[in-house]
Amino acid sequence: MSERIVIVDSRDWSQPLQGLVPELEAGKVLFFPELRFALSPEERLLLRADVRDEKSRNISLRLDGVLAGAAVQGEEQARLAAMIGRFRTQACSLIDAIAPAYKPALRLAPTSYRPTQVESRVQSWRADDRRLHVDAFPSRPNRGERILRVFTNLNPHGEARTWRVGEAFEDIARRFVPRAKPYVAWQAKVLRALHVTKSLRTEYDHLMLQLHDGMKSDLDYQQTSPQVTMPFPPGSTWVCYSDQASHAVMSGQFMMEQTLHLPAEAQSDPAASPLGILRRITGRPLV
Ligand code: SIN
Ligand code: FE
């Protein structure tokens, strides 16, 4: 299972890297043990849980530059926004260094800073990211568009962010697609009309949610399926397609995360995408 993680020896966010696109598109996690997001002494003062507004899950820097979910004001808030903004720039450089051909098709999402300790979060099984899953969001259908994520561990106390990484997407799909509830087009329209979903939930979105929920609700699968535990140390960075790489976060505190979206057809091998794999397995277009 350790082959699901590819170690990359790079210390530079913008140094071009060859040969990693097929690994990324195979749903592997690219792990950069020495790629550090450097903080100034003033920024290090922002590594505390109470910078987050208790009503928000994360702090996020929106695309319009507005900071959401922070409990700090004034100069401290500006410093926090600048720190998250610098991570956004470096994360984008890293993706350009790995996959320059993606650039014209990438769509940036907000950048998040997660100062909360993972172990102490109380959540429903469906929201519990300590269970292995592939990312799929109930209110945000994406019609097969990819979820590419860059993570970096900022922990100042030497604590790793520990993940479990699970089996390949094709294996997940072969296991859970046969158990999936059928897609019902009129129900998707009702969810849209009621604003439960921001756009129409396609059959692709339905199947991805079925995989997400099927994995998280199956405790036997959680414990016995092929998986590897991976502690990402402070000062390290990792990248994966989180809609494809099965993952669970077991512990850690203080992380940055950048999401980028990419149409499946803009990847090097569209057939390797979850949309491509699910189309092949079901024999249906899905979107
Ligand atoms: C997730 O996407 O499941 C959470 C990852 C993390 O917080 O480390
Ligand atoms: Fe996730």
Side-chain angles (χ1 to χ4, degrees):
M1 277 306 294
S2 54
E3 77 281 355
R4 304 298 312 153
I5 296 163
V6 177
I7 299 175
V8 189
D9 178 23
S10 175
R11 290 158 197 248
D12 180 341
W13 291 86
S14 49
Q15 180 201 319
L17 297 163
Q18 310 293 325
L20 295 177
V21 171
E23 308 279 27
L24 192 61
E25 293 188 0
K28 297 186 185 182
V29 177
L30 307 183
F31 171 38
F32 301 80
E34 307 283 350
L35 189 56
R36 177 181 294 274
F37 179 62
L39 299 184
S40 68
E42 294 73 33
E43 287 173 335
R44 238 170 268 141
L45 300 173
L46 299 167
L47 301 178
R48 23 177 254 271
D50 67 3
V51 296
R52 180 184 61 95
D53 180 343
E54 281 171 17
K55 294 190 284 298
S56 310
R57 185 167 159 148
N58 298 311
I59 296 174
S60 64
L61 183 65
R62 298 188 337 206
L63 296 178
D64 59 8
V66 173
L67 191 67
V72 291
Q73 310 294 330
E75 191 277 328
E76 220 179 9
Q77 188 186 79
R79 206 175 341 130
L80 188 55
M83 172 173 93
I84 302 173
R86 198 173 74 259
F87 176 69
R88 172 183 293 174
T89 305
Q90 298 204 337
C92 291
S93 304
L94 181 63
I95 296 303
D96 289 343
I98 295 168
Y102 286 180
K103 195 171 177 105
L106 286 172
R107 187 171 65 79
L108 195 63
T111 315
S112 92
Y113 168 43
R114 306 185 186 185
T116 309
Q117 189 180 41
V118 168
E119 301 90 300
S120 57
R121 273 196 316 229
V122 181
Q123 275 153 343
S124 68
W125 66 265
R126 198 175 258 126
D128 188 356
D129 290 337
R130 291 172 294 193
R131 298 182 185 212
L132 285 165
H133 64 283
V134 287
D135 284 347
F137 302 105
S139 66
R140 285 179 276 156
N142 67 17
R143 299 177 180 75
E145 193 178 47
R146 306 306 312 277
I147 304 172
L148 178 58
R149 291 191 151 163
V150 181
F151 304 90
T152 201
N153 184 358
L154 303 175
N155 191 284
H157 313 299
E159 290 161 19
R161 196 169 192 93
T162 300
W163 275 26
R164 290 184 290 148
V165 175
E167 63 185 347
F169 187 86
E170 173 119 18
D171 297 329
I172 296 168
R174 295 213 176 273
R175 201 189 296 255
F176 290 98
V177 167
R179 305 187 201 170
K181 288 189 203 143
Y183 176 65
V184 182
W186 67 263
Q187 282 176 351
K189 287 186 187 138
V190 170
L191 293 175
R192 171 75 192 107
L194 296 175
H195 302 284
V196 174
T197 57
K198 292 189 176 126
S199 58
L200 188 74
R201 187 182 286 173
T202 64
E203 186 172 3
Y204 170 81
D205 295 296
H206 168 78
L207 268 179
M208 289 297 287
L209 284 168
Q210 288 286 305
L211 299 190
H212 172 278
D213 291 1
M215 293 168 79
K216 278 190 175 174
S217 63
D218 184 338
L219 291 179
D220 183 57
Y221 179 76
Q222 289 293 323
Q223 281 166 13
T224 62
S225 67
Q227 57 190 274
V228 61
T229 295
M230 180 65 229
F232 296 108
S236 74
T237 296
W238 59 108
V239 178
C240 68
Y241 274 118
S242 64
D243 52 357
Q244 181 177 11
S246 161
H247 61 284
V249 58
M250 307 317 291
S251 65
Q253 188 174 12
F254 306 114
M255 182 183 75
M256 291 284 196
E257 177 267 329
Q258 176 68 56
T259 300
L260 299 108
H261 296 291
L262 183 81
E265 55 276 19
Q267 48 180 103
S268 163
D269 179 11
S273 67
L275 180 61
I277 292 170
L278 292 173
R279 277 178 168 163
R280 182 156 44 77
I281 290 176
T282 61
R284 291 195 296 277
L286 305 180
V287 292

